[in-house]
Amino acid sequence: NTDNVISQNQNNKTALQQSFSTLNLCIKLLYDLSCQDLPPVFEENMQAITSLLHRYLTYDNALLHTDYEAESGPLDIAKAGIFEVLVLYVQKYEDAIGPFLGQFIGSSWNLLNSIGPETKFDILVSRSLQFLTSVTHSRQHAESFNNQEILGQVVEK
């Protein structure tokens, strides 16, 4: 429902901010409900869940950007929460999320390359790097980073 409200209010700043507050709560609930064990309903619907997470990890709307250099906006907070969920799933439920990780790796990398050095992005950068670090523990996905040029870009940027 929140996804539908966001889609219907692309040009309404107040509605978007309220919807992203709700989305952030949904992301926190997803994290909290997954901490102990992966609920069967989540495992059965992993494709739909990862699709929604990816949609909002790559989502952008200027109405959700903040002008304050030191304060994260609702969109950045949602993206940081998504990374937190992804780290949990990679560490505890890699067999369930593994087939969907490729899209998140590429999107994380693109996100890191597109955001600026402002303080408001610190939490987002930190969580994104935490996700990429957790992914490298998997032999299958570590090969994506086994390139001198890519490692140089990570350090440089």
Side-chain angles (χ1 to χ4, degrees):
N1 288 334
T2 302
D3 180 47
N4 288 334
V5 172
I6 291 171
S7 297
Q8 293 168 2
N9 290 287
Q10 295 292 320
N11 298 316
N12 183 338
K13 184 174 183 168
T14 304
L16 273 177
Q17 288 176 330
Q18 291 170 350
S19 297
F20 266 80
S21 290
T22 303
L23 179 64
N24 282 321
L25 290 174
C26 291
I27 292 168
K28 287 177 184 178
L29 282 171
L30 176 65
Y31 182 89
D32 288 345
L33 292 172
S34 301
C35 278
Q36 295 297 320
D37 195 18
L38 184 62
V41 70
F42 288 3
E43 192 167 5
E44 294 163 6
N45 294 289
M46 189 59 64
Q47 185 171 7
I49 292 169
T50 56
S51 174
L52 277 171
L53 292 176
H54 189 258
R55 177 178 306 147
Y56 289 105
L57 189 63
T58 58
Y59 183 85
D60 193 26
N61 188 320
L63 295 177
L64 294 170
H65 296 180
T66 179
D67 294 331
Y68 304 108
E69 191 171 308
E71 184 181 326
S72 297
L75 181 58
D76 300 324
I77 293 168
K79 289 180 180 185
I82 290 169
F83 280 124
E84 192 171 20
V85 168
L86 291 173
V87 168
L88 174 70
Y89 274 57
V90 167
Q91 291 174 346
K92 291 187 79 170
Y93 314 115
E94 186 178 352
D95 54 326
I97 198 168
F100 309 102
L101 280 179
Q103 63 185 345
F104 291 106
I105 294 169
S107 296
S108 303
W109 185 252
N110 292 336
L111 181 66
L112 283 171
N113 283 318
S114 66
I115 58 177
E118 295 86 5
T119 306
K120 65 183 174 182
F121 297 124
D122 285 356
I123 186 90
L124 188 53
V125 169
S126 173
R127 296 263 173 86
S128 179
L129 288 172
Q130 187 180 11
F131 165 68
L132 291 174
T133 300
S134 68
V135 167
T136 61
H137 292 290
S138 163
R139 187 171 192 88
Q140 173 188 357
H141 299 292
E143 290 301 316
S144 302
F145 300 95
N146 194 10
N147 179 321
Q148 199 67 15
E149 182 181 328
I150 290 176
L151 293 175
Q153 288 177 3
V154 168
V155 172
E156 179 184 322
K157 300 206 189 273

